[in-house]
């Protein structure tokens, strides 16, 4: 039986204390959830940007990891613990003055591992800021 992961549940996850404070403080919001996909939004706040108003690599990495977790939770098995095994982020260009969208999707998911990718683009201009791929361990 499939277990749905909804927008309301996603908003609750971002608000509750199960996520590390460094992620909660980024003020992420859930824009879209689909089967095996998720889109999260990050605003250019002082917590997300470094000096000069450019998104910090640390914030981009946290956004990427979180968006891919959300994509995994939409695979029909619902929200459950997942652990990042490997995360590779490629920083493509600077961005900062506008919101950032992280569009994550599952590439392949099995019983114990899930492979995901994410594209991070500026919301208004569509400019590519970063991309990432990751492997996640799933509970048995």
């Amino acid at each position: 039986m499939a277990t749905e992961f909804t927008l309301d549940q996603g908003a609750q996850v971002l608000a509750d204390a199960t996520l590390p404070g460094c992620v909660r403080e980024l003020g992420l919001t859930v824009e879209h959830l689909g089967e095996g996909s998720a889109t999260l939004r990050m605003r250019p706040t002082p917590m997300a940007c470094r000096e000069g108003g450019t998104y910090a690599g640390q914030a981009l990495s946290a956004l990427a990891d979180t968006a891919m977790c959300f994509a995994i939770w939409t695979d029909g098995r619902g929200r459950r613990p997942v652990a990042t095994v490997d995360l590779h982020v490629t920083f493509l260009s600077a961005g900062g003055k506008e919101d950032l969208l992280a569009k994550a999707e599952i590439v392949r998911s099995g019983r114990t591992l899930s492979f995901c990718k994410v594209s991070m683009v500026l919301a208004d201009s569509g400019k590519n800021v970063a991309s990432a791929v990751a492997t996640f361990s799933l509970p048995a």
Side-chain angles (χ1 to χ4, degrees):
M1 182 170 144
T3 303
E4 186 177 16
F5 182 67
T6 66
L7 286 171
D8 287 340
Q9 289 171 317
Q12 182 60 42
V13 168
L14 291 172
D16 69 25
T18 59
L19 290 178
C22 61
V23 175
R24 287 192 319 273
E25 292 298 321
L26 291 173
L28 306 179
T29 57
V30 184
E31 292 291 305
H32 173 75
L33 295 174
E35 187 176 330
S37 68
T39 301
L40 301 185
R41 179 181 293 262
M42 182 168 68
R43 296 181 52 241
T45 64
M47 292 299 292
C49 296
R50 59 184 170 87
E51 186 177 15
T54 301
Y55 282 110
Q58 299 90 332
L60 294 173
S61 298
L63 172 63
D65 187 78
T66 305
M68 289 185 279
C69 287
F70 274 62
I72 291 169
W73 293 334
T74 67
D75 70 356
R77 293 181 274 181
R79 183 173 174 226
R80 67 242 187 240
V82 296
T84 308
V85 174
D86 178 63
L87 173 64
H88 179 86
V89 182
T90 301
F91 303 103
L92 303 169
S93 62
K97 303 290 186 243
E98 56 185 276
D99 289 4
L100 190 67
L101 297 176
K103 301 176 180 184
E105 64 182 89
I106 297 171
V107 175
R108 178 168 159 51
S109 192
R111 189 175 57 78
T112 60
L113 292 175
S114 188
F115 304 89
C116 300
K117 65 181 179 178
V118 64
S119 174
M120 290 168 275
V121 300
L122 294 177
D124 295 329
S125 67
K127 179 181 174 184
N128 285 313
V129 174
S131 63
V133 294
T135 305
F136 294 87
S137 176
L138 307 175

